[in-house]
Amino acid sequence: MLAESLYKYNPIDDIECLFAAKQHSTERRGHNEVVVQIAGKWDKMLLFFAWEEQMNCLHLSCMINVEPEDVALPTIFELLALLNEDLWVGYFSYWQEAQTPLFRHSMFLDAADEKFSAKLAQVVDIALTECERAYPIFHAVFKQKIEPRRALLPMMLM
């Protein structure tokens, strides 16, 4: 009991080990943060994991490597709203400082959760799948200046 009270669960340690074992580049950015670089179908993606101890909440952000070229914020926000309409888990947002879209998701955990690895794998798979699916749409709007609704048409036909 005393050992449990001295040790606070930190899933960042587990995440770092899981991705390092799969030969992914990881960078620990403090006690409660780690960044993982993953090669995607279109480009590399960065997964940011942050642990909020007080809430026992793990946050995941997946950065999509496509920057807008002279695209107005209302157009970006329209695209985000349209993409988010069909999501059951997580959501897309836009990080204005870095000028890049993100997929975000948070999950509550506790140290007794024996299925953490499976849950993490599922959330990472969802994030990567959604980012891969959305990349060509972001590219069409950000680089080719296609209107959000038109850019989504090929995805709606699937």
Side-chain angles (χ1 to χ4, degrees):
M1 186 74 152
L2 179 60
E4 284 181 4
S5 64
L6 295 175
Y7 174 75
K8 288 196 172 202
Y9 177 66
N10 185 345
I12 298 298
D13 299 330
D14 295 337
I15 292 166
E16 191 173 34
C17 290
L18 285 169
F19 282 102
K22 293 182 179 188
Q23 307 297 315
H24 292 293
S25 172
T26 63
E27 179 188 341
R28 190 74 178 245
R29 292 192 174 169
H31 179 67
N32 292 337
E33 293 182 15
V34 68
V35 178
V36 181
Q37 182 174 314
I38 295 182
K41 178 179 177 180
W42 308 102
D43 202 346
K44 70 178 179 191
M45 289 185 275
L46 294 177
L47 297 171
F48 294 88
F49 294 92
W51 174 241
E52 197 339 287
E53 290 180 46
Q54 282 13 50
M55 293 186 343
N56 288 333
C57 186
L58 178 66
H59 179 79
L60 160 68
S61 294
C62 184
M63 189 169 87
I64 302 170
N65 192 22
V66 60
E67 291 183 22
E69 294 175 3
D70 299 321
V71 178
L73 281 177
T75 300
I76 294 171
F77 294 143
E78 177 186 0
L79 176 58
L80 294 172
L82 291 169
L83 286 169
N84 286 333
E85 282 180 357
D86 292 329
L87 294 179
W88 280 56
V89 175
Y91 62 95
F92 285 101
S93 68
Y94 183 71
W95 184 12
Q96 288 187 41
E97 184 179 307
Q99 295 188 334
T100 189
L102 302 167
F103 179 84
R104 298 176 182 250
H105 180 70
S106 296
M107 52 198 257
F108 294 101
L109 303 172
D110 62 51
D113 191 349
E114 295 175 5
K115 296 182 181 180
F116 171 69
S117 293
K119 286 180 182 178
L120 176 66
Q122 187 176 35
V123 169
V124 168
D125 184 55
I126 290 168
L128 294 175
T129 299
E130 292 301 332
C131 289
E132 293 284 6
R133 184 177 70 99
Y135 183 93
I137 297 163
F138 280 111
H139 190 272
V141 173
F142 286 12
K143 302 292 186 187
Q144 300 168 331
K145 309 292 190 285
I146 296 174
E147 294 177 14
R149 287 194 187 278
R150 268 194 57 224
L152 283 165
L153 280 177
M155 189 175 79
M156 288 186 220
L157 299 174
M158 297 175 126

